Structures are given as C-alpha cells and as structure tokens.
Amino acid sequence: MKLLNSDCSLVMLHGFLGNHHDFDEIISLLPEDLRSRTIAIDLPGHNNNEPANFRESIHYIDQHIQNNNINNFVLYGYSLGGRLATNYAFNARNSHLKGLILESSSFGITDEERKMREGTDLMWASQFALKKPEEILTNWYNQPIFDGLTDLQKRQLINLRRSQDFHKLAIQFDATSVAHQENYRNRLNELSIQVNYIYGGKDQKYTLAAQRENNYKNFTSYCVAEAGHNIHTFFPQRIVNIITKCEI
C-alpha cells in the first residue's frame, strides 16, 4: 500500500542544525489529504529543546505523537532525524509505526569505524561548544559530505543555521553521534515494516550505503541524481514525488 492511499500520518524529523520549518515547503507541496496528516517536530537540542540521547529521544518522539493524537504513522527522517527514526523503529516496539522514509541517513558503523568516529565527533562537539557560529558552520559545510552543494547553497545554509544555541547543539551532537549508535546495517530484515531510502547521486557516502543495504526485501532506494546530501532543501518537489509513491 502507498502512504498516500493509507490512513497513516507522516511525522517528519529534521537533521542536525535544523528545525521543523525545514520541511515547510515539502508539506505545502504534498497532496491535500496527506498534508493534513503530516507534522514536523523540533528534535531534542534544537530550537530551545533540551538535548537527549537515543533512548530519551524515543520517549520524546512518542510524546509528540501522543500530543498530536496520532494513531498509525510513518517516520520521515533526514540525517540525524533518520538515525533517530531508525533507532525508534528497532527499540520503541510501537505497532502503530507502519514504515520509514529515510533521507541521507546512516544505519550505523562497524566497531573499527567507531573508534575513528569517536575522536572525530568529539572534535566537532568541542568546536560547536567553543567556536563562533560563523566559523564552525563554515567548517561544517566544507566537509566532503557536502561537496554536492554549491558555494551559494552553503552560504544559504550558514545564514539559516547561525541563530541557535550552539552549547545545546554541542551536547546533542555528542549524545546522538553515529559513534554511539548501535549498528543496524545487517539487521534491516528484522523490521516488519518497509524502509524507503532517499539519497543524492552526488553524495558518494550515502550512495554506497544505499547500494550496501539494497539486498533486503523490505528496503527500497530512491536516487535523486542531481542532489547532494541535503536533498529536501534544494529539491523539495522531488522529495514529494518520492513520498507519494512510497510503499508502507
């Protein structure tokens, strides 16, 4: 069954540095019936919310779902939001969760990769705590993962993200680091729900992730060839087209 033709709500989780307004354009472009069943929430550590680890984030998401009187639902998560959505799917044991739509999101890393990632993420957390917003954001968007963005797009994102509580962001970054996430790479077939995965053709890291996981029967991938890591910001109509044909 397609999400569009179901009675499920769509709950959208933004990425690190973002907020619920990141999905405003996508929601406005959705067909009216699905738009009326869609909400986007601010994650812990963002928009004045207190930081939370993976376990606490499950409760946080549950509270928002209950407060909005949502029954059956699909989680859409971008990057950090996708990691939280995946963690929720494996650990919340909520039978009302009917599917996942993940954008540019990691399913975890190996133990060998984890050792390297712990040091890298500690460095980033320290930068967010200590450096000026302009400097840390410039460093952040100059990472190879954002190579698919133009200089203008990077400047737009820096301007959009600079007015935040960077101390809380530093705590949140460490609490939900991929280095602290369980590795779900080889466990997707344990889920009884459909996993829809969206990645950018210019995002080499998550192109490889999509290819690696594509052998699972409950896994469907969608490539936006002209996009990098941040697909929903610059190609909202393409995301809407995918959402409306996702199976759950």
Side-chain angles (χ1 to χ4, degrees), residues 47-212:
N47 204 16
N48 294 319
N49 290 319
E50 292 303 313
N53 59 28
F54 285 108
R55 178 182 54 80
E56 294 163 340
S57 293
I58 290 178
H59 177 71
Y60 179 92
I61 294 169
D62 266 336
Q63 284 298 113
H64 278 271
I65 289 169
Q66 292 174 23
N67 292 344
N68 284 276
N69 298 312
I70 291 172
N71 189 20
N72 295 329
F73 64 99
V74 170
L75 284 177
Y76 182 109
Y78 162 66
S79 196
L80 168 61
R83 297 205 305 274
L84 294 181
T86 299
N87 188 71
Y88 185 98
F90 275 96
N91 297 294
R93 304 189 185 282
N94 187 339
S95 62
H96 294 291
L97 175 64
K98 301 301 180 182
L100 294 176
I101 305 175
L102 308 175
E103 176 194 343
S104 306
S105 183
S106 173
F107 293 107
I109 54 180
T110 65
D111 289 342
E112 183 177 355
E113 292 169 321
R114 193 183 306 277
K115 293 176 183 177
M116 297 178 60
R117 187 62 181 259
E118 285 176 347
T120 302
D121 282 1
L122 181 61
M123 178 273 293
W124 279 115
S126 299
Q127 285 199 45
F128 275 100
L130 300 173
K131 291 193 173 183
K132 294 180 179 180
E134 179 77 18
E135 182 179 1
I136 179 57
L137 289 172
T138 299
N139 293 342
W140 180 258
Y141 287 112
N142 279 333
Q143 294 181 91
I145 197 172
F146 296 111
D147 283 349
L149 299 177
T150 66
D151 289 341
L152 176 60
Q153 288 171 333
K154 290 180 181 180
R155 174 49 52 187
Q156 289 172 336
L157 288 170
I158 290 170
N159 291 337
L160 188 65
R161 307 306 191 198
R162 66 199 327 162
S163 300
Q164 300 193 64
D165 186 329
F166 278 72
H167 178 69
K168 286 184 177 179
L169 287 173
I171 297 172
Q172 185 63 40
F173 185 85
D174 179 64
T176 50
S177 161
V178 177
H180 299 149
Q181 176 182 325
E182 190 171 344
N183 186 2
Y184 299 111
R185 278 186 189 176
N186 301 317
R187 296 180 55 194
L188 293 184
N189 59 349
E190 296 176 22
L191 295 176
S192 61
I193 58 176
Q194 186 70 21
V195 180
N196 298 278
Y197 191 83
I198 308 170
Y199 65 98
K202 294 181 179 179
D203 186 348
Q204 183 178 14
K205 178 177 179 180
Y206 289 101
T207 296
L208 292 174
Q211 294 170 345
R212 184 176 57 235

Side-chain angles (χ1 to χ4, degrees), residues 10-30:
L10 180 62
V11 179
M12 307 188 78
L13 310 176
H14 61 78
F16 183 66
L17 298 175
N19 61 57
H20 74 278
H21 289 300
D22 291 359
F23 297 117
D24 282 354
E25 187 168 3
I26 286 175
I27 294 173
S28 73
L29 293 170
L30 288 171

